[in-house]
Amino acid sequence: MPSIIFLHGLLGTNADWHAVIEKFAEKAPQIDCIALDLPLHGENKPVEVTGFEQTAQFVSQQIQQKIQNKPYILVGYSLGGRIALYYALQAQWEKGNLQGLILEGANLGLKNEQEKQQRWQNDQYWAKRFMKENPETVLQDWYQQSVFAHLTEQQRANLIAKRASNCGENIGKMLLATSLAKQPDFSEKVRSKSLPIYYLLGERDRKFCQLAKQKNLHFSIIPNAGHNAHLENPVAFAEQLRRFAFEIAKVPL
């Protein structure tokens, strides 16, 4: 069976995946699960990048250090999913023995220059705030965005407390380096026959559920969860992840 490599989202760390990995191991102990810290996050906070290419190269180096040339599946949430898409579909170097992608809440890209300009302005606004303001103040506003509208006040408070120590100038730099405005549009490539690509989506994540239906993606819905389904319902997420992983590896459940 291939190993599973996990990439967290903006503001996260490898610890975000611990609950999923724990539940996954109960059903599939034969599969190695490895969660990485992205550049400018967690243990790799000192590692700076200027764009998707450098970020993908860093991920490639980390994977090689962890598993050498063994087969693997790449799992990515939000920013981690967008990096996984770039890594698999855009970067020109050898990907090793990559077997497939499993993505959660990852935007495929923007269609036109107007959308990209609007997103760039928005990301510059947030990056400036992350660099200059108190983490708790910025995060309080960050988690008011529409994609987090389903959160309760307690869930929002828990996330702010969880993210504050990882938040600062580093997050502003990462937001600018990997802005959606700089990402290629993978809407067509995502249906590549050469690489299996699956989506996991929280049922309350209306934006990305709609996107998955519009783009005719291969997806599964995680109940009782929103945009961050792996944190909100790790049990259901781990079970569906196991099903997709076995399907990619062509091994019966």
Side-chain angles (χ1 to χ4, degrees):
M1 284 292 292
S3 300
I4 299 182
I5 308 293
F6 294 85
L7 304 179
H8 60 77
L10 188 75
L11 292 160
T13 69
N14 68 68
D16 290 357
W17 295 107
H18 287 181
V20 166
I21 290 172
E22 182 181 323
K23 298 301 178 185
F24 189 90
E26 292 174 3
K27 297 287 186 70
Q30 74 274 34
I31 300 178
D32 289 330
C33 292
I34 301 163
L36 304 180
D37 277 332
L38 291 175
L40 293 159
H41 289 73
E43 294 179 359
N44 291 322
K45 199 181 281 188
V47 179
E48 295 200 20
V49 290
T50 58
F52 277 96
E53 190 73 12
Q54 279 190 351
T55 305
Q57 285 177 345
F58 177 81
V59 168
S60 178
Q61 291 163 5
Q62 293 286 297
I63 291 171
Q64 289 304 308
Q65 288 174 15
K66 300 289 185 183
I67 63 169
Q68 284 78 50
N69 292 314
K70 295 176 183 175
Y72 65 99
I73 295 166
L74 205 50
V75 177
Y77 162 67
S78 197
L79 171 61
R82 297 197 290 112
I83 291 167
L85 280 167
Y86 187 96
Y87 174 95
L89 301 177
Q90 187 77 11
Q92 297 301 308
W93 66 85
E94 181 60 41
K95 315 301 191 303
N97 206 354
L98 176 63
Q99 305 288 294
L101 302 182
I102 301 174
L103 308 175
E104 175 192 2
N107 200 309
L108 301 181
L110 301 175
K111 284 289 186 187
N112 57 58
E113 281 306 312
Q114 183 180 358
E115 288 181 343
K116 289 180 179 180
Q117 281 301 317
Q118 289 173 346
R119 180 59 180 241
W120 181 239
Q121 294 297 324
N122 186 65
D123 286 349
Q124 283 184 309
Y125 164 79
W126 283 111
K128 190 181 213 177
R129 292 194 63 185
F130 278 123
M131 290 176 175
K132 302 291 185 185
E133 296 182 27
N134 177 279
E136 286 81 2
T137 303
V138 185
L139 291 172
Q140 184 65 49
D141 291 342
W142 178 262
Y143 287 115
Q144 295 292 337
Q145 294 181 95
S146 59
V147 74
F148 302 114
H150 68 284
L151 294 175
T152 66
E153 283 306 312
Q154 188 57 57
Q155 288 174 320
R156 196 170 279 113
N158 291 344
L159 272 174
I160 291 168
K162 185 183 181 78
R163 302 305 190 202
S165 63
N166 196 41
C167 179
E169 186 177 3
N170 56 306
I171 298 300
K173 289 179 178 179
M174 189 64 170
L175 189 55
L176 294 178
T178 55
S179 169
L180 184 61
K182 295 182 176 180
Q183 177 185 309
D185 181 13
F186 295 117
S187 296
E188 298 305 320
K189 285 186 177 182
V190 80
R191 285 187 284 276
S192 166
K193 297 290 188 293
S194 60
L195 186 73
I197 301 176
Y198 298 83
Y199 251 80
L200 291 172
L201 301 161
E203 67 175 345
R204 298 185 191 125
D205 189 355
R206 294 178 182 176
K207 174 182 175 180
F208 284 93
C209 286
Q210 185 179 18
L211 173 74
K213 290 171 185 174
Q214 285 176 346
K215 301 296 184 183
N216 197 27
L217 303 176
H218 189 157
F219 68 95
S220 183
I221 299 294
I222 306 300
N224 303 314
H227 186 61
N228 200 334
H230 68 277
L231 279 182
E232 294 172 35
N233 192 349
V235 175
F237 190 96
E239 175 55 26
Q240 189 55 55
L241 177 65
R242 183 176 74 96
R243 291 177 178 276
F244 279 166
F246 275 61
E247 192 171 326
I248 289 171
K250 295 181 172 61
V251 173
L253 282 169

